[in-house]
Amino acid sequence: MDALITQLQRQFRDYTISLYQQGFLDDQFTELKKLQDDGSPDFVAEVLTLFFEDCVKLISNMARALDQTTGNVDYSKVGASVHQLKGSSSSVGAKRVKALCVSFKDYCDTQNFEGCVRCLQQVDIEYKTLKTKLQDLFNLEKQIIQAGGRVPQVDIN
Amino acid sequence: MVCEMETDQIEEMDVEVLSSMWPDDVGTEADKQFNVEKPAGDLDMLKEVTIKEEPTIADLTKLPELLNSTHQGTSQITNLVKQWNYMHDNASRLLREELLNLDRQREEAEAKELKIIEDYKFESNEPENVPVLDETSDLFRKFRQKKRDVLVDRKKIEINEEFDTVAYWKQKALSLEKMLEASTQRERRLIEKLHESLKTMESHAAPVQELTENLKRAEGFLHFILQNAPIVMGHQDKDLRYLFIYNKYPSLREQDILGKTDVEIFHGGGVKESEDFKREVLERGKASKREITFTTDLFGSKTFLIYVEPVYNKAGEKIGINYMGMEVTDQVVKREKMAKLREDNAVRKAMESELNKTIHITEETMRAKQMLATMSHEIRSPLSGVVGMAEILSTTKLDKEQRQLLNVMISSGDLVLQLINDILDLSKVESGVMKLEATKFRPREVVKHVLQTAAASLKKSLTLEGNITDDVPIEVVGDVLRIRQILTNLISNAIKFTHEGQVGIKLQVISEPSFARENALNAGADEDNGLTETSVWIRCDVYDTGIGIPENAIPCLFKKYMQASTDHARKYGGTGLGLAICKQLVELMGGQLTVTSRVNEGSIFTFILPYKVATSDDYSDDQDEFSDMTDHQSEPDDTTEGYFQFKPLLGSIYSNGGPVNGNDFLPHKVMLTSPVKLINGLVADPSNNTEQSETVQVENGGYVDESKLETSSVHCPESAHQYENGNGRCFSKESESCSSSQASSESGTLEMESELTVSSQREEEKADTDLKETSKPKILLVEDNKINIMVAKSMMKQLGHTMDIANNGVEAINAINRSSYDLVLMDVCMPVLDGLKATRLIRSYEESGNWNAAIEAGVDKKTLENDQVCVRSTNRLPIIAMTANTLAESSEECYANGMDSFISKPVTLQKLRECLQQYLH
């Protein structure tokens, strides 16, 4: 049993580090982790849930605003959504999403349609990837807990 | 030649407009064009010359008179006469010489003849005395010769008859005859010569013709020169009436000009001026030039360069002026263009250099900005991470050695942080970003607090004392934060360099220092705040009995990164920035920082600052400022006490770090339970993965479990009305609960949900401790992003605080109107009303006491009016911007809109902690 826990813990640690190293996450995620204590044991999951939910909503908003069949593209609308997403992703430490949002915002400001569409697609892929990865991470966490172990603190550096 | 030209000039030209004087058709037009007059009187010769040739030069009726009566005229004629006389004399002299020559030859011949006659008397009867110059002499002589020949023949006969020796006489006669012949021949040659001389003399003897030639040449020259000269020449009499005019481009006939003055001829700009100028020249008797622009109907706007000289008669009286004008309009225009160009050039150059300067300054500012940003982001964040982690580490189980090491680590980290903060402060002051605040504060309390803090971390046996004279007002207005910073800095410096004895602060009121009087205007600029106070200058001495400062080190004491000596730097550490910052801050506040010191005896740092004296009727406003202090030391008459002393107290309980809001900790701790519920609502089943929890939320229509609301014991109203008569505590509870709203921007309705505060309220009620209630700072978070709210809230919770939430600027204004806050965290970019605007409106409310500006800006009037009961806070509400650190959300803009500081996003625990430490006292 202990061996399993140790293995799971190592797996968890490696996976977390890989997420940082591949740029999916940044220090802000660590901040979130810090906020999670006995008083709020699922804080991170909760915030991320809210975040991904936000992603779905905002991305569909962007897609709607960028849909040319409805007439002219309302870049300010797109931009507002992008701004929101940027703030959210920045807050949860979703590094890649945030970086995409920065360039997305630039395209919005310059009203670059191709750029916007490309960014939209990338953001869509990126947040889904992140979601899958984080789900894996949380699953690991749960397995550790179920096995009776403690989720290790991962030192990123 | 020259003389002649002058004469001509005088004679003819006149002013103004005129036309070519010598075109091909001169002959026919001569009369009209020029005033041709036959000069009368003695000027015969001149007349002949001028007129006989071509009537190209115009004479005036008065010309002869003029020539006779004026100096120029006279001198000209004199000149001509002189020349003529000279030539005449020359000719006469030549003739006389020739005559003399001939005379001499004749005399010689006569002498020879006489001799012959004397020798041979018979020849005496011959008529020898023929006048040499006689025209007929030649003939006469020939005739006589023939006669003589005849006679000689007869004589021979006679001789033959008279003398026996005929042969002898014959011979004699023949030889004589030969001699005579030779003589006669000589005589003939002489006569021929004489003739020749006479002829040459005749050619010399024609001076008139010579003069005529000269005049012709002169005229030709004038012709040549003046043919196309665009000039106007003229003579005017004493009354400035034209007597004479020459004009290359005549537009008036001479009868229109002659006898009239300029004023009579022309109308328009410049005429009067030229007339005045001429008169001036006439009066002064000095030739002079001037440029005059005429604007006349006759020839439009033209600029003439005019030369005027006075004319005198022989008696030396002024009789008029000569006038010469040349049109220089084009040149003037060009010149003006050039001048303008040059001027433009100079202006452009000046602008360029100005621009360069501005660019330079901008670049500098940008660089400073860059540095600030770099500092805060590249150094401060990781460093605060390190320090923060170390602090956390220090709370875990450690053995003694580890703890020691950790303490070193923390203090070193703190030092570096302090250094970075110093640098930031410095660059803020230097780049002018630093804004001063005017808040009411009590100097005694500040001094006490500073000393207290210093005493708390004191590791030496020093006595700290504070001495405030009675005349120092109880409350003054100034930037208390900065003043405290200066005091803390100076005190910590003093402590650092003092090993035994005491360190102290002394405050006293002084009269206005001289440097301030000079800068009276500048100082006056600071007094723009609406409160009515009088100024007071307070001198603050921070003295110690430390190592002192050598005199030669004093000048560089206030320079950046300089310490009295490198030895000191090694021994005592420090950044060398503290004093530079103090000095800059003091100067920024309109004061002066000086130092006096004696090595090994101690130093006194003195700063003199102006303060405004506050009206002392509302102490209570300040209470929170010093609440932490009053908590520690419950001295009732803090406000008036003038002397404090902190004896050496090793191992002080305050030794570790700054003020801790210990009182606040408990209620927040209790409140930690609240989010649990929130989370339970969200992720009820721990086995849920994120995917599942997401769906749960979607089903619930939000992450808030609404059932919480129903079950909560206290009903949270949608408006604050029912609480408006409550006391401040009640207010704070109320607004906390109400503003934790999660507005759904899509539906546009404002839902007040209180799941968080419901529980906290309950807990608070249980605790029911008024003291703790009042001391708990009230924080408002203005943010539209749900996730950000969630994260920030969670962080706040960890830091032991709760927050009210507003989703945009309008909600923020409403919340601030409803209750008073100690701190506002304001997102910059928000829908409805952004953070910058909201801050401006809040500041305007603070100044004016009403929300007129907000109402004008479109904030709902009713919600604002309903709550006028609320006592307006006279303190400036600290508003901290939360920026995404993009160009659009620059820190400058935040400051410019009245924000006090900014936190860059994403917000971290550390940043929040620093911010709270700085702004919540």
Side-chain angles (χ1 to χ4, degrees):
Chain A
M1 197 63 172
D2 280 353
L4 174 67
I5 292 173
T6 317
Q7 196 203 332
L8 281 172
Q9 280 176 341
R10 184 180 301 130
Q11 222 178 326
F12 176 81
R13 195 176 291 122
D14 291 346
Y15 196 63
T16 310
I17 290 174
S18 78
L19 286 181
Y20 278 88
Q21 280 173 349
Q22 289 165 33
F24 285 104
L25 298 173
D26 61 21
D27 292 342
Q28 188 65 19
F29 188 76
T30 322
E31 286 277 329
L32 281 194
K33 282 267 184 188
K34 269 194 260 172
L35 296 175
Q36 182 165 294
D37 54 19
D38 294 341
S40 49
D42 286 311
F43 176 72
V44 176
E46 182 194 329
V47 171
L48 284 171
T49 306
L50 188 60
F51 170 66
F52 289 123
E53 184 195 324
D54 215 27
C55 281
V56 177
K57 193 181 81 198
L58 290 172
I59 285 173
S60 77
N61 280 352
M62 292 176 208
R64 219 178 303 132
L66 276 172
D67 187 1
Q68 274 188 319
T69 56
T70 59
N72 287 338
V73 176
D74 186 351
Y75 283 101
S76 66
K77 224 171 178 176
V78 184
S81 292
V82 175
H83 181 81
Q84 281 282 328
L85 187 58
K86 191 177 79 172
S88 305
S89 55
S90 163
S91 261
V92 299
K95 196 177 180 184
R96 285 199 191 185
V97 178
K98 180 188 156 193
L100 268 172
C101 285
V102 171
S103 41
F104 199 163
K105 190 86 205 317
D106 286 344
Y107 285 128
C108 280
D109 292 341
T110 54
Q111 310 218 334
N112 181 332
F113 182 74
E114 271 77 40
C116 282
V117 170
R118 202 164 52 240
C119 275
L120 180 66
Q121 288 164 348
Q122 282 174 331
V123 164
D124 191 46
I125 296 167
E126 207 56 66
Y127 99 87
K128 280 173 180 157
T129 317
L130 181 66
K131 193 169 166 182
T132 322
K133 299 223 175 227
L134 285 176
Q135 274 167 2
D136 293 346
L137 193 71
F138 284 125
N139 281 335
L140 268 176
E141 251 185 65
K142 265 170 220 145
Q143 283 171 25
I144 295 172
I145 292 165
Q146 272 174 349
R150 265 191 69 206
V151 178
Q153 293 285 319
V154 181
D155 181 13
I156 301 311
N157 304 308
Chain B
M1 225 14 182
V2 176
C3 296
E4 283 156 353
M5 256 178 69
E6 272 177 13
T7 339
D8 290 347
Q9 229 168 294
I10 293 163
E11 292 168 44
E12 2 246 9
M13 339 291 187
D14 233 27
V15 194
E16 308 306 29
V17 201
L18 335 61
S19 84
S20 99
M21 167 148 51
W22 291 306
D24 298 337
D25 51 349
V26 162
T28 57
E29 283 188 10
D31 292 27
K32 284 182 186 168
Q33 216 162 347
F34 317 109
N35 308 299
V36 182
E37 277 283 328
K38 304 209 174 188
D42 348 5
L43 278 175
D44 271 0
M45 195 163 62
L46 202 73
K47 175 177 97 183
E48 255 178 40
V49 172
T50 317
I51 290 162
K52 264 189 198 161
E53 294 301 317
E54 257 179 52
T56 49
I57 295 171
D59 289 349
L60 266 194
T61 357
K62 302 272 171 64
L63 180 61
E65 269 173 49
L66 219 55
L67 286 177
N68 280 336
S69 59
T70 65
H71 274 303
Q72 283 98 326
T74 317
S75 70
Q76 169 59 13
I77 289 162
T78 319
N79 230 314
L80 271 174
V81 170
K82 256 188 205 155
Q83 202 185 4
W84 188 85
N85 279 342
Y86 171 73
M87 292 196 320
H88 194 81
D89 288 350
N90 205 27
S92 316
R93 192 172 47 80
L94 283 170
L95 283 173
R96 232 173 276 126
E97 270 171 26
E98 207 57 48
L99 262 177
L100 272 169
N101 239 347
L102 287 172
D103 275 347
R104 218 182 301 123
Q105 284 173 0
R106 194 186 45 133
E107 275 165 19
E108 270 170 34
E110 271 173 9
K112 261 184 192 160
E113 229 170 311
L114 267 177
K115 209 176 154 196
I116 291 164
I117 288 165
E118 272 168 23
D119 284 351
Y120 317 100
K121 301 212 166 138
F122 64 90
E123 271 194 329
S124 63
N125 55 349
E126 283 190 14
E128 277 297 324
N129 262 338
V130 180
V132 184
L133 284 173
D134 199 328
E135 297 259 343
T136 56
S137 63
D138 217 20
L139 285 172
F140 183 69
R141 210 176 287 188
K142 276 176 193 162
F143 167 75
R144 272 210 298 183
Q145 189 118 19
K146 278 178 186 168
K147 209 173 145 190
R148 205 159 56 188
D149 287 346
V150 175
L151 278 176
V152 170
D153 283 343
R154 207 174 38 210
K155 262 183 227 168
K156 276 175 194 166
I157 296 159
E158 277 172 16
I159 290 163
N160 287 337
E161 283 173 346
E162 273 181 47
F163 301 96
D164 309 337
T165 56
V166 176
Y168 167 80
W169 285 109
K170 228 179 189 174
Q171 244 176 351
K172 191 107 188 178
L174 271 172
S175 69
L176 280 172
E177 202 153 332
K178 261 175 205 160
M179 282 173 71
L180 188 64
E181 222 160 285
S183 165
T184 318
Q185 249 167 14
R186 249 194 330 267
E187 209 170 320
R188 206 176 295 137
R189 264 202 310 279
L190 282 173
I191 287 168
E192 269 166 27
K193 248 189 193 164
L194 193 62
H195 272 276
E196 256 170 54
S197 292
L198 275 173
K199 251 182 215 159
T200 37
M201 227 175 79
E202 240 165 59
S203 69
H204 278 294
V208 170
Q209 216 170 346
E210 181 103 352
L211 283 173
T212 312
E213 286 290 315
N214 279 349
L215 284 173
K216 238 188 201 168
R217 277 209 303 281
E219 202 203 302
F221 179 77
L222 281 176
H223 243 242
F224 178 72
I225 297 278
L226 291 176
Q227 201 160 15
N228 288 313
I231 49 173
V232 174
M233 293 184 269
H235 174 81
Q236 284 164 287
D237 66 11
K238 263 195 300 199
D239 301 325
L240 296 179
R241 295 186 180 282
Y242 283 99
L243 295 183
F244 173 85
I245 187 158
Y246 160 72
N247 194 341
K248 172 96 163 80
Y249 308 102
S251 52
L252 289 175
R253 286 178 306 164
E254 74 271 20
Q255 54 262 45
D256 295 331
I257 296 172
L258 297 178
K260 290 181 181 167
T261 64
D262 279 335
V263 185
E264 284 163 359
I265 300 164
F266 304 106
H267 300 285
V271 175
K272 186 83 183 51
E273 190 187 348
S274 91
E275 179 101 356
D276 290 346
F277 174 54
K278 285 170 182 172
R279 195 150 281 142
E280 190 187 314
V281 169
L282 195 62
E283 273 161 25
R284 285 200 186 172
K286 237 181 164 182
S288 117
K289 287 179 209 159
R290 184 175 291 183
E291 225 172 68
I292 295 173
T293 303
F294 292 92
T295 319
T296 61
D297 303 336
L298 204 59
F299 50 88
S301 174
K302 275 182 177 166
T303 305
F304 283 84
L305 178 65
I306 286 165
Y307 169 76
V308 179
E309 63 172 11
V311 177
Y312 299 93
N313 66 9
K314 279 171 185 163
E317 294 159 341
K318 290 169 215 166
I319 57 156
I321 51 146
N322 283 336
Y323 159 96
M324 187 168 153
M326 182 186 275
E327 198 212 310
V328 290
T329 312
D330 291 350
Q331 286 71 18
V332 168
V333 168
K334 266 182 214 157
R335 196 177 60 208
E336 274 162 9
K337 262 188 199 159
M338 281 300 288
K340 209 166 170 238
L341 265 173
R342 239 172 270 140
E343 197 180 304
D344 285 356
N345 243 352
V347 168
R348 209 173 306 124
K349 252 183 206 162
M351 274 167 67
E352 223 164 77
S353 66
E354 194 65 28
L355 210 68
N356 277 337
K357 237 183 265 168
T358 316
I359 289 171
H360 187 70
I361 291 167
T362 315
E363 276 172 357
E364 285 293 307
T365 317
M366 289 294 279
R367 222 169 291 147
K369 211 198 271 177
Q370 198 64 41
M371 184 179 138
L372 240 116
T374 313
M375 279 296 174
S376 53
H377 287 91
E378 301 305 323
I379 306 179
R380 213 148 57 149
S381 309
L383 189 66
S384 34
V386 170
V387 176
M389 287 306 142
E391 273 165 4
I392 291 167
L393 194 59
S394 70
T395 61
T396 61
K397 257 190 188 172
L398 296 171
D399 64 30
K400 205 180 169 190
E401 199 189 344
Q402 282 173 324
R403 190 167 297 283
Q404 267 178 351
L405 293 175
L406 200 61
N407 281 340
V408 174
M409 196 172 139
I410 290 169
S411 61
S412 311
D414 278 337
L415 191 70
V416 181
L417 261 183
Q418 187 53 46
L419 168 62
I420 290 163
N421 287 336
D422 282 355
I423 294 170
L424 281 174
D425 271 354
L426 204 59
S427 42
K428 265 191 209 167
V429 175
E430 280 175 356
S431 60
V433 174
M434 179 80 77
K435 294 269 160 62
L436 291 175
E437 288 179 12
T439 45
K440 240 181 264 178
F441 68 96
R442 296 171 189 169
R444 283 170 186 78
E445 290 182 2
V446 171
V447 169
K448 190 173 170 187
H449 185 226
V450 167
L451 289 174
Q452 213 162 23
T453 314
S457 55
L458 194 61
K459 294 184 182 78
K460 301 173 182 172
S461 39
L462 294 176
T463 303
L464 304 185
E465 50 190 21
N467 201 338
I468 295 121
T469 55
D470 291 339
D471 51 358
V472 174
I474 289 169
E475 281 194 328
V476 294
V477 174
D479 191 333
V480 65
L481 273 182
R482 300 300 163 203
I483 291 164
R484 199 183 292 202
Q485 189 181 353
I486 295 164
L487 271 176
T488 308
N489 217 319
L490 292 178
I491 277 288
S492 66
N493 247 357
I495 291 172
K496 198 199 281 180
F497 295 106
T498 306
H499 303 298
E500 54 183 355
Q502 63 252 29
V503 169
I505 301 172
K506 193 175 162 189
L507 283 193
Q508 65 195 87
V509 172
I510 55 159
S511 59
E512 194 182 8
S514 56
F515 74 87
R517 250 170 270 134
E518 286 161 25
N519 301 335
L521 274 177
N522 303 349
D526 292 338
E527 301 178 51
D528 52 359
N529 128 351
L531 302 167
T532 51
E533 314 98 333
T534 47
S535 248
V536 61
W537 286 82
I538 298 179
R539 170 189 166 121
C540 179
D541 296 315
V542 176
Y543 55 92
D544 62 53
T545 54
I547 57 166
I549 304 155
E551 205 167 311
N552 57 2
I554 287 179
C556 59
L557 207 58
F558 297 109
K559 285 186 184 152
K560 278 174 264 177
Y561 309 105
M562 294 288 258
Q563 287 185 324
S565 80
T566 45
D567 273 354
H568 290 123
R570 259 198 302 280
K571 197 165 164 191
Y572 297 102
T575 63
L577 278 175
L579 283 178
I581 291 170
C582 286
K583 190 174 165 63
Q584 291 208 359
L585 285 174
V586 169
E587 280 166 6
L588 192 67
M589 290 187 272
Q592 208 174 44
L593 175 61
T594 52
V595 61
T596 53
S597 181
R598 271 196 192 179
V599 175
N600 294 328
E601 285 180 28
S603 314
I604 303 172
F605 284 84
T606 303
F607 65 92
I608 303 166
L609 280 181
Y611 304 88
K612 274 162 260 174
V613 182
T615 45
S616 56
D617 50 353
D618 43 7
Y619 286 179
S620 52
D621 286 344
D622 267 359
Q623 211 56 48
D624 48 359
E625 268 259 307
F626 306 101
S627 55
D628 53 342
M629 200 174 67
T630 41
D631 287 338
H632 294 308
Q633 298 250 337
S634 50
E635 272 171 315
D637 57 346
D638 250 2
T639 50
T640 50
E641 190 178 321
Y643 183 75
F644 326 100
Q645 195 178 46
F646 297 87
K647 290 285 185 190
L649 185 70
L650 284 170
S652 158
I653 48 154
Y654 303 112
S655 60
N656 201 10
V660 177
N661 291 335
N663 295 336
D664 300 337
F665 207 62
L666 184 61
H668 296 300
K669 200 72 172 176
V670 171
M671 284 174 58
L672 288 182
T673 51
S674 56
V676 180
K677 288 177 182 160
L678 176 86
I679 283 148
N680 285 346
L682 266 172
V683 199
D685 185 354
S687 67
N688 272 354
N689 61 15
T690 47
E691 187 80 58
Q692 282 164 321
S693 63
E694 185 185 320
T695 52
V696 169
Q697 278 191 313
V698 173
E699 279 162 19
N700 283 352
Y703 76 100
V704 178
D705 189 340
E706 286 177 5
S707 63
K708 278 267 138 20
L709 261 180
E710 288 156 21
T711 55
S712 65
S713 58
V714 176
H715 172 67
C716 179
E718 292 215 353
S719 81
H721 287 196
Q722 71 185 70
Y723 286 90
E724 66 189 23
N725 293 326
N727 61 19
R729 275 201 309 289
C730 200
F731 255 105
S732 68
K733 272 188 266 174
E734 141 65 13
S735 52
E736 261 169 41
S737 57
C738 284
S739 50
S740 61
S741 53
Q742 307 292 329
S744 151
S745 52
E746 282 178 334
S747 65
T749 60
L750 194 83
E751 293 171 86
M752 295 289 186
E753 289 161 307
S754 58
E755 88 294 336
L756 261 175
T757 35
V758 167
S759 53
S760 70
Q761 230 165 343
R762 213 185 294 133
E763 300 293 345
E764 280 156 14
E765 276 159 17
K766 277 181 198 162
D768 199 26
T769 46
D770 283 10
L771 239 173
K772 281 168 190 170
E773 272 298 314
T774 40
S775 65
K776 193 177 78 178
K778 281 174 58 65
I779 302 165
L780 177 68
L781 173 69
V782 189
E783 165 71 71
D784 63 317
N785 188 309
K786 278 181 277 180
I787 289 150
N788 292 354
I789 293 171
M790 202 168 165
V791 172
K793 207 159 186 172
S794 173
M795 286 176 174
M796 271 300 179
K797 196 179 66 189
Q798 281 235 328
L799 294 171
H801 296 280
T802 51
M803 290 192 298
D804 290 352
I805 311 292
N807 282 312
N808 56 50
V810 174
E811 286 186 32
I813 286 173
N814 285 332
I816 287 164
N817 186 43
R818 265 196 302 274
S819 80
S820 66
Y821 286 94
D822 298 310
L823 181 67
V824 175
L825 297 171
M826 179 88 76
D827 185 23
V828 172
C829 192
M830 283 183 297
V832 188
L833 182 66
D834 71 34
L836 299 176
K837 279 185 206 138
T839 306
R840 261 203 325 269
L841 295 177
I842 291 164
R843 294 294 179 225
S844 118
Y845 165 66
E846 281 175 353
E847 276 165 26
S848 63
N850 61 57
W851 285 107
N852 290 347
I855 290 161
E856 270 169 42
V859 177
D860 190 6
K861 206 170 171 179
K862 279 176 196 160
T863 55
L864 295 176
E865 278 178 345
N866 284 342
D867 291 295
Q868 292 300 325
V869 201
C870 199
V871 181
R872 176 168 71 95
S873 163
T874 46
N875 275 350
R876 184 182 161 100
L877 174 62
I879 299 179
I880 315 299
M882 295 189 295
T883 70
N885 200 33
T886 57
L887 280 179
E889 300 176 8
S890 72
S891 54
E892 273 79 2
E893 213 178 343
C894 292
Y895 290 123
N897 280 281
M899 285 166 164
D900 297 281
S901 180
F902 69 96
I903 304 179
S904 61
K905 284 185 178 177
V907 177
T908 63
L909 257 182
Q910 182 57 33
K911 287 179 198 165
L912 262 187
R913 189 183 295 130
E914 278 172 12
C915 172
L916 295 186
Q917 269 173 9
Q918 190 180 354
Y919 287 96
L920 294 178
H921 298 285

